[in-house]
Amino acid sequence: MTQTDKKVDVAIIGAGPGGTTLGSFLRLYDKELTVKLFERETFPRDHVGESQLPLVSKVLSEMGVWDRIEACGFPIKVGATYRWGNSDDLWDFDFLAGGEFDDKPRPSPYSGQRTFTAFQVDRAVYDEVLSDYATELGCEIEFGNGVRKVYRTGDRVDFLEMRDGSQVVADMYVDASGHTGVLRRAMDVEIEEPSALKNIAVWDYWQNAEWAETIGIGGTRIQIMSLGYGWLWFIPIGETRTSIGFVCPADYYKSSGLPIEELYMKALTSEPRLNDLVLNARREDKLTTTKDWSFVAKRMSGENWFLVGEAGGFADPILSAGLTLTHVGAKELAFLILESRKGGDRAWMSGEYARRNERRVRQHIQFADYWYKANSHFSDLKQYTAEIAKGSGLELSAEEAFQWLGTGGFAEEDGGVAGLALNRFDRVQQMAGKLSKGAGQSMLNGYNVFTLDTADAEQITTARFEEGRVTSAPALKRGPKILPLDSLFGTMIEAMTGNPRFDDIYRNLVDIYARARIPFDSYNQQRVWECLDAMIRDGWVQRSLTKDLEPITHSYLLESSIIHKRDS
């Protein structure tokens, strides 16, 4: 090796949230590890992807960086306002019941209501805070030094040749380069594009745009407004700075004949609600465009390399899932690398990591397709939504369409609760219900006997990525569906075993919760009924009706304090 060569334990390509989250967790749990990040750009720099989901806040807290992010004063995201679906109504999708946000001083700790909210971040600031924190933990970061070439032997990376001419040799290489996919491309990893809709996104930043609404101290909702040919986002990312973007099919842009800037301003000025908010604002003239094509990498790892974040898969931004998938995936990969250095089964852990992350991205892609298909305002997108429907089987009833969303299973392994791609089951039900008018039907309703059906299921072990470790958890697998045998699902199985009648199941649950000294209140009841619903949908429970017991009446409110139509 020459004087300019670098030898490290873990080499990470990219210093965005994926790379810095990975590096920070590695150093938090193993201060002996040498971790180096290589970033082709220099910070600070703007980047799209500013709207988060609450799970990111949990990851930031686990990393120990919550206080620094909160001190930046980013707007607090309490939810989103949509104009979507089959009417011109505005709908609020809130993280807090009724959007009720206490007027508390900032900065605030990660506790109480803040555990249910998210941030809307200025990525020029956010990414730099994360990179500074990773550096303080002992990661080295080289900015302005991207990868020139990846040298490989078969499926193994030998070393990286950098822009400055140096060579990087590592025990493990990680691609956190986002859409660029430096390692993904170098290792000839194929991608799949499940969606028929090929969008582009164009955005700029505005100074002094009015917020659509201010809730408490620093709280607001992002705005998502559909047009006849695409949709607009409006995301305040600072006290005076707002990200405003427009998404439409690439073919629509080409056929419009308009320059990209003219198309962008036409979209914004044609939406009265958002246009009013920028009347006294000014653009920063940083207009940027990119393709927003959803894809999934067919492999997430190799002999000594991994993909993380958008290098391994990207879902349409309509659900603001990008940063959530990236942060969560980076944390899991960090724990995998740490565990493998302790002698853990890398092949098994790598398979679990790939399966979980691919499942999340695919489900978000499906959910996004569902949103586009359900939007009657997209009068100019009929040919595209028809292709989506044809390719995804969306010419279905509302209930069948919701079932299609759970192709990968409604039994969410993260936290052992019912859900879909890190979204809680009841909220997915409500969102789907608003789009398709009726998807909120509970599978419990009208029945009173629920029999566990595990025929032909294979006993497997799944991974739990917690507190710096990767542990195994028992589960059943049948086809693509997986049923955890621990946590809430395990509780439900215990209550059902030998007792298929609902009255017996209910009494058993009361007893189980009493022994654990946990109240079996309305909140906990809702969670277990969601698990039972998910088990029915995934084929793990067969339902029937006996005449000597009243049938259950159970449903999901399609309008509630979480999802509701605006008064004005």
Side-chain angles (χ1 to χ4, degrees), residues 80-82 87 89-93 434 559 563-565:
T81 298
Y82 285 86
S87 77
D89 294 332
L90 294 174
W91 289 89
D92 287 340
F93 290 64
K434 294 318 304 176
E559 183 169 353
I563 299 177
H564 53 93
K565 187 169 68 173

Side-chain angles (χ1 to χ4, degrees), residues 264-276:
Y264 173 75
M265 290 305 301
K266 174 189 173 185
L268 180 56
T269 55
S270 68
E271 210 301 303
R273 179 177 173 82
L274 301 189
N275 187 53
D276 287 348

Side-chain angles (χ1 to χ4, degrees), residues 458-516:
E458 173 190 3
Q459 180 102 27
I460 63 168
T461 56
T462 58
R464 290 282 183 270
F465 298 83
E466 299 171 334
E467 298 180 354
R469 301 300 305 269
V470 181
T471 58
S472 61
L476 295 176
K477 184 177 188 296
R478 185 166 53 201
K481 308 295 176 66
I482 290 177
L483 176 65
L485 297 178
D486 61 350
S487 60
L488 275 182
F489 287 102
T491 298
M492 197 70 235
I493 292 168
E494 181 183 350
M496 294 174 60
T497 303
N499 301 280
R501 288 168 55 101
F502 183 78
D503 52 356
D504 289 329
I505 294 171
Y506 187 91
R507 280 192 292 268
N508 287 339
L509 286 168
V510 171
D511 183 57
I512 291 169
Y513 273 77
R515 292 199 307 268

Side-chain angles (χ1 to χ4, degrees), residues 286-331:
K286 296 181 178 180
L287 198 70
T288 308
T289 185
T290 187
K291 67 177 187 179
D292 258 344
W293 296 2
S294 297
F295 75 91
V296 181
K298 292 188 177 181
R299 285 199 301 152
M300 291 289 289
S301 65
E303 188 174 336
N304 64 341
W305 58 268
F306 287 91
L307 310 180
V308 73
E310 291 182 4
F314 174 78
D316 188 281
I318 186 64
L319 299 172
S320 302
L323 277 178
T324 304
L325 296 172
T326 293
H327 276 291
V328 171
K331 182 186 78 169

Side-chain angles (χ1 to χ4, degrees), residues 393-452:
L394 281 179
E395 292 299 336
L396 306 169
S397 68
E399 183 62 31
E400 290 170 330
F402 181 76
Q403 191 66 30
W404 168 82
L405 287 175
T407 298
F410 286 103
E412 188 69 75
E413 294 167 70
D414 301 273
V417 299
L420 185 75
L422 302 177
N423 289 289
R424 225 173 63 189
F425 190 87
D426 61 336
R427 297 189 181 184
V428 176
Q429 276 275 26
Q430 286 181 280
M431 286 188 281
K434 294 318 304 176
L435 293 173
S436 60
K437 294 185 178 180
Q441 179 65 46
S442 168
M443 300 297 276
L444 283 65
N445 192 54
Y447 297 86
N448 53 26
V449 177
F450 302 94
T451 306
L452 195 63

